[in-house]
Amino acid sequence: MKSNFVLLNTLIPVEEVRLGGLVCDLLSPQTNAFTDQLPAESSNVYVDENKDFGTRLAQSSDDGFSSNLTKLFKTMTKVENEESIQLSSASVKNSELRQPRKVFTELCTFPAAREYLETGVREGEKSYLVIGFRTVSDATFAAKSSSTLKLSGKVTVPVSTIATGGADVLGLGAALDVGVGADRGRSNSDTVAFKAPGEKIWAIRYQKVSFKLFKKRSTETAYLDKPRWVMLPANRAAAMGEEEEVEADLDDLEDDDVEENNLTESKLEQDGSSEAYLVPGEV
């Protein structure tokens, strides 16, 4: 199975996840992750930015994916009647390692990373390498309500003004108080637009770390293409026995990874092109 981006079920601050880091949970990559010591190669990153992702999302022919992602983005806001919010625009950044296998090979030379991986092997936990993620920033939302609407973040300008390059086609203009603070509310059927602060990760691309265990051999010349090392003994009794070697490699996500996390494939489709994502059952 191709390692598609996994849509998270919550937004994560960008500083919580590192490209080239190791995680044990696809949907909660900030928990029990290894980010302490990363190779220099992990800074060799390809970055692409789409400043009009909101329009692409609105035009997607896959209503299920658009609905899930819009719902996720809405968690950037604190609006009492959340169903009234619609994503107007967003800047999405795609960041991916250029050489994930090189990063992983170097990572496996670090004793702390080896220990992290070995602990996962002993405890039956899976490990994944973060090879890419997508973030959202400058997300602009339109909010309309027939009852009191409380916003977090600052009201900026009408969505109609943003979309038309300055023309207030909804006639809201002066109805908005630019710079209204987080606790200010509006009533009746006002329409306002506001930006959610911060850069948040909403999707991550992983490769799964696979392992093979061997009894220690006198030569390793046949295995130089993959990281391989002697496992540290878990206890003194194990230290008295025959040593084991572990060989680590990178693979795409497999069916069991998808099933255990209740993921299904969904596509972002627009203008004849499509991109598949793995989406959790409840976003």
Side-chain angles (χ1 to χ4, degrees), residues 141-183:
F141 296 86
K144 185 173 183 179
S145 174
S146 58
S147 58
T148 300
L149 186 64
K150 187 176 290 184
L151 307 178
S152 70
K154 293 184 177 181
V155 174
T156 54
V157 295
V159 173
S160 58
T161 304
I162 297 172
T164 60
D168 186 10
V169 297
L170 293 182
L172 296 174
L176 293 180
D177 183 9
V178 177
V180 170
D183 295 329

Side-chain angles (χ1 to χ4, degrees), residues 81-97:
N81 44 347
E82 185 177 298
E83 71 279 358
S84 69
I85 312 171
Q86 292 298 323
L87 179 69
S88 171
S89 65
S91 177
V92 165
K93 184 186 296 182
N94 177 49
S95 303
E96 295 190 56
L97 294 176

Side-chain angles (χ1 to χ4, degrees), residues 8 21 32 35 44 60 69 71 75 81-82 93 95 101 147 149 152 157 166 200 205 220 249 253:
L8 303 177
N32 294 325
T35 59
N44 184 10
S60 173
L69 188 54
K71 183 178 179 181
T75 63
N81 44 347
E82 185 177 298
K93 184 186 296 182
S95 303
R101 186 166 294 278
S147 58
L149 186 64
S152 70
V157 295
K200 310 286 187 180
R205 188 179 176 200
E220 300 181 9
D249 198 5
L253 298 183

Side-chain angles (χ1 to χ4, degrees), residues 244-262:
E244 283 189 320
E245 291 179 329
V246 59
E247 179 181 278
D249 198 5
L250 292 178
D251 289 314
D252 290 336
L253 298 183
E254 299 175 333
D255 290 340
D256 60 331
D257 302 300
V258 173
E259 293 169 1
E260 289 171 5
N261 291 278
N262 191 26

Side-chain angles (χ1 to χ4, degrees), residues 11 52 64 100 133 168 174 205 238 241 278:
L11 294 171
D52 196 25
F133 54 60
D168 186 10
R205 188 179 176 200
L278 293 173

